[in-house]
PDB file of all heavy atoms in Angstrom:
ATOM      1  N   VAL A  59     -64.706  13.045  11.980  1.00 98.00           N
ATOM      2  CA  VAL A  59     -66.139  13.081  12.048  1.00 98.00           C
ATOM      3  C   VAL A  59     -66.633  14.493  12.531  1.00 98.00           C
ATOM      4  O   VAL A  59     -67.663  14.865  11.931  1.00 98.00           O
ATOM      5  CB  VAL A  59     -66.642  11.921  12.973  1.00 98.00           C
ATOM      6  CG1 VAL A  59     -68.086  11.990  13.280  1.00 98.00           C
ATOM      7  CG2 VAL A  59     -66.140  10.527  12.512  1.00 98.00           C
ATOM      8  N   GLY A  60     -66.068  14.914  13.515  1.00 98.00           N
ATOM      9  CA  GLY A  60     -66.521  16.250  14.156  1.00 98.00           C
ATOM     10  C   GLY A  60     -66.437  17.347  13.107  1.00 98.00           C
ATOM     11  O   GLY A  60     -67.302  18.192  12.992  1.00 98.00           O
ATOM     12  N   SER A  61     -65.392  17.526  12.383  1.00 98.00           N
ATOM     13  CA  SER A  61     -65.259  18.514  11.458  1.00 98.00           C
ATOM     14  C   SER A  61     -66.259  18.247  10.225  1.00 98.00           C
ATOM     15  O   SER A  61     -66.703  19.196   9.662  1.00 98.00           O
ATOM     16  CB  SER A  61     -63.761  18.643  10.699  1.00 98.00           C
ATOM     17  OG  SER A  61     -63.444  17.358  10.194  1.00 98.00           O
ATOM     18  N   GLY A  62     -66.523  16.985   9.954  1.00 97.00           N
ATOM     19  CA  GLY A  62     -67.534  16.765   8.794  1.00 97.00           C
ATOM     20  C   GLY A  62     -68.864  17.196   9.342  1.00 97.00           C
ATOM     21  O   GLY A  62     -69.719  17.809   8.622  1.00 97.00           O
ATOM     22  N   ILE A  63     -69.237  16.925  10.554  1.00 98.00           N
ATOM     23  CA  ILE A  63     -70.541  17.509  11.086  1.00 98.00           C
ATOM     24  C   ILE A  63     -70.530  18.932  11.091  1.00 98.00           C
ATOM     25  O   ILE A  63     -71.689  19.601  10.624  1.00 98.00           O
ATOM     26  CB  ILE A  63     -70.832  16.929  12.531  1.00 98.00           C
ATOM     27  CG1 ILE A  63     -70.932  15.335  12.554  1.00 98.00           C
ATOM     28  CG2 ILE A  63     -72.071  17.466  13.118  1.00 98.00           C
ATOM     29  CD1 ILE A  63     -70.915  14.704  13.902  1.00 98.00           C
ATOM     30  N   GLN A  64     -69.548  19.565  11.578  1.00 98.00           N
ATOM     31  CA  GLN A  64     -69.555  21.080  11.755  1.00 98.00           C
ATOM     32  C   GLN A  64     -69.625  21.605  10.257  1.00 98.00           C
ATOM     33  O   GLN A  64     -70.398  22.617  10.054  1.00 98.00           O
ATOM     34  CB  GLN A  64     -68.281  21.469  12.264  1.00 98.00           C
ATOM     35  CG  GLN A  64     -68.110  22.871  12.433  1.00 98.00           C
ATOM     36  CD  GLN A  64     -68.842  23.491  13.626  1.00 98.00           C
ATOM     37  OE1 GLN A  64     -70.072  23.567  13.687  1.00 98.00           O
ATOM     38  NE2 GLN A  64     -68.094  23.714  14.787  1.00 98.00           N
ATOM     39  N   ALA A  65     -69.063  21.028   9.323  1.00 97.00           N
ATOM     40  CA  ALA A  65     -68.972  21.542   7.902  1.00 97.00           C
ATOM     41  C   ALA A  65     -70.463  21.535   7.449  1.00 97.00           C
ATOM     42  O   ALA A  65     -70.848  22.438   6.680  1.00 97.00           O
ATOM     43  CB  ALA A  65     -68.118  20.730   7.083  1.00 97.00           C
ATOM     44  N   THR A  66     -71.148  20.446   7.582  1.00 97.00           N
ATOM     45  CA  THR A  66     -72.511  20.337   7.043  1.00 97.00           C
ATOM     46  C   THR A  66     -73.508  21.286   7.749  1.00 97.00           C
ATOM     47  O   THR A  66     -74.498  21.609   7.107  1.00 97.00           O
ATOM     48  CB  THR A  66     -73.014  18.852   7.041  1.00 97.00           C
ATOM     49  OG1 THR A  66     -72.908  18.428   8.516  1.00 97.00           O
ATOM     50  CG2 THR A  66     -72.097  17.839   6.316  1.00 97.00           C
ATOM     51  N   GLU A  67     -73.140  21.615   8.937  1.00 96.00           N
ATOM     52  CA  GLU A  67     -74.050  22.621   9.630  1.00 96.00           C
ATOM     53  C   GLU A  67     -73.687  24.023   9.111  1.00 96.00           C
ATOM     54  O   GLU A  67     -74.699  24.914   9.297  1.00 96.00           O
ATOM     55  CB  GLU A  67     -73.835  22.539  11.155  1.00 96.00           C
ATOM     56  CG  GLU A  67     -74.354  21.203  11.726  1.00 96.00           C
ATOM     57  CD  GLU A  67     -74.150  21.164  13.329  1.00 96.00           C
ATOM     58  OE1 GLU A  67     -73.506  22.089  13.819  1.00 96.00           O
ATOM     59  OE2 GLU A  67     -74.744  20.125  13.794  1.00 96.00           O
ATOM     60  N   LEU A  68     -72.613  24.322   8.555  1.00 96.00           N
ATOM     61  CA  LEU A  68     -72.112  25.600   8.314  1.00 96.00           C
ATOM     62  C   LEU A  68     -72.439  25.887   6.765  1.00 96.00           C
ATOM     63  O   LEU A  68     -72.732  27.080   6.380  1.00 96.00           O
ATOM     64  CB  LEU A  68     -70.707  25.813   8.454  1.00 96.00           C
ATOM     65  CG  LEU A  68     -70.235  25.890   9.983  1.00 96.00           C
ATOM     66  CD1 LEU A  68     -68.721  26.016  10.044  1.00 96.00           C
ATOM     67  CD2 LEU A  68     -70.925  26.955  10.667  1.00 96.00           C
ATOM     68  N   THR A  69     -72.424  24.970   5.862  1.00 96.00           N
ATOM     69  CA  THR A  69     -72.705  25.161   4.524  1.00 96.00           C
ATOM     70  C   THR A  69     -73.282  23.875   3.817  1.00 96.00           C
ATOM     71  O   THR A  69     -73.164  22.799   4.236  1.00 96.00           O
ATOM     72  CB  THR A  69     -71.454  25.450   3.780  1.00 96.00           C
ATOM     73  OG1 THR A  69     -71.535  25.737   2.406  1.00 96.00           O
ATOM     74  CG2 THR A  69     -70.333  24.373   3.989  1.00 96.00           C
ATOM     75  N   LYS A  70     -73.996  24.120   2.722  1.00 96.00           N
ATOM     76  CA  LYS A  70     -74.681  23.151   1.980  1.00 96.00           C
ATOM     77  C   LYS A  70     -73.723  22.774   0.758  1.00 96.00           C
ATOM     78  O   LYS A  70     -74.115  21.870   0.062  1.00 96.00           O
ATOM     79  CB  LYS A  70     -76.047  23.396   1.513  1.00 96.00           C
ATOM     80  CG  LYS A  70     -76.971  23.727   2.720  1.00 96.00           C
ATOM     81  CD  LYS A  70     -77.128  22.485   3.571  1.00 96.00           C
ATOM     82  CE  LYS A  70     -78.154  22.779   4.665  1.00 96.00           C
ATOM     83  NZ  LYS A  70     -78.102  21.633   5.687  1.00 96.00           N
ATOM     84  N   ASP A  71     -72.711  23.563   0.623  1.00 97.00           N
ATOM     85  CA  ASP A  71     -71.808  23.285  -0.652  1.00 97.00           C
ATOM     86  C   ASP A  71     -70.889  22.089  -0.316  1.00 97.00           C
ATOM     87  O   ASP A  71     -70.033  22.062   0.717  1.00 97.00           O
ATOM     88  CB  ASP A  71     -71.022  24.524  -0.837  1.00 97.00           C
ATOM     89  CG  ASP A  71     -70.143  24.460  -2.060  1.00 97.00           C
ATOM     90  OD1 ASP A  71     -69.426  23.479  -2.267  1.00 97.00           O
ATOM     91  OD2 ASP A  71     -70.141  25.441  -2.910  1.00 97.00           O
ATOM     92  N   VAL A  72     -70.986  21.004  -1.016  1.00 96.00           N
ATOM     93  CA  VAL A  72     -70.225  19.821  -0.759  1.00 96.00           C
ATOM     94  C   VAL A  72     -68.802  19.993  -0.811  1.00 96.00           C
ATOM     95  O   VAL A  72     -67.932  19.539  -0.133  1.00 96.00           O
ATOM     96  CB  VAL A  72     -70.667  18.693  -1.625  1.00 96.00           C
ATOM     97  CG1 VAL A  72     -69.823  17.316  -1.330  1.00 96.00           C
ATOM     98  CG2 VAL A  72     -72.149  18.307  -1.407  1.00 96.00           C
ATOM     99  N   GLY A  73     -68.279  20.925  -1.853  1.00 96.00           N
ATOM    100  CA  GLY A  73     -66.943  21.266  -2.043  1.00 96.00           C
ATOM    101  C   GLY A  73     -66.409  21.901  -0.788  1.00 96.00           C
ATOM    102  O   GLY A  73     -65.276  21.465  -0.290  1.00 96.00           O
ATOM    103  N   LEU A  74     -67.123  22.822  -0.262  1.00 97.00           N
ATOM    104  CA  LEU A  74     -66.716  23.569   0.974  1.00 97.00           C
ATOM    105  C   LEU A  74     -66.583  22.630   2.156  1.00 97.00           C
ATOM    106  O   LEU A  74     -65.751  22.698   3.096  1.00 97.00           O
ATOM    107  CB  LEU A  74     -67.556  24.726   1.258  1.00 97.00           C
ATOM    108  CG  LEU A  74     -67.381  25.917   0.264  1.00 97.00           C
ATOM    109  CD1 LEU A  74     -68.389  27.034   0.680  1.00 97.00           C
ATOM    110  CD2 LEU A  74     -65.988  26.397   0.204  1.00 97.00           C
ATOM    111  N   GLN A  75     -67.618  21.717   2.260  1.00 97.00           N
ATOM    112  CA  GLN A  75     -67.644  20.631   3.271  1.00 97.00           C
ATOM    113  C   GLN A  75     -66.423  19.853   3.327  1.00 97.00           C
ATOM    114  O   GLN A  75     -65.757  19.597   4.319  1.00 97.00           O
ATOM    115  CB  GLN A  75     -68.964  19.881   3.166  1.00 97.00           C
ATOM    116  CG  GLN A  75     -70.187  20.561   3.388  1.00 97.00           C
ATOM    117  CD  GLN A  75     -71.399  19.704   3.138  1.00 97.00           C
ATOM    118  OE1 GLN A  75     -71.381  18.600   2.588  1.00 97.00           O
ATOM    119  NE2 GLN A  75     -72.626  20.301   3.289  1.00 97.00           N
TER     120      GLN A  75
END
Side-chain angles (χ1 to χ4, degrees):
V59 174
S61 62
I63 297 173
Q64 184 79 282
T66 56
E67 291 182 354
L68 294 175
T69 179
K70 300 301 180 184
D71 187 313
V72 177
L74 289 177
Q75 292 171 355

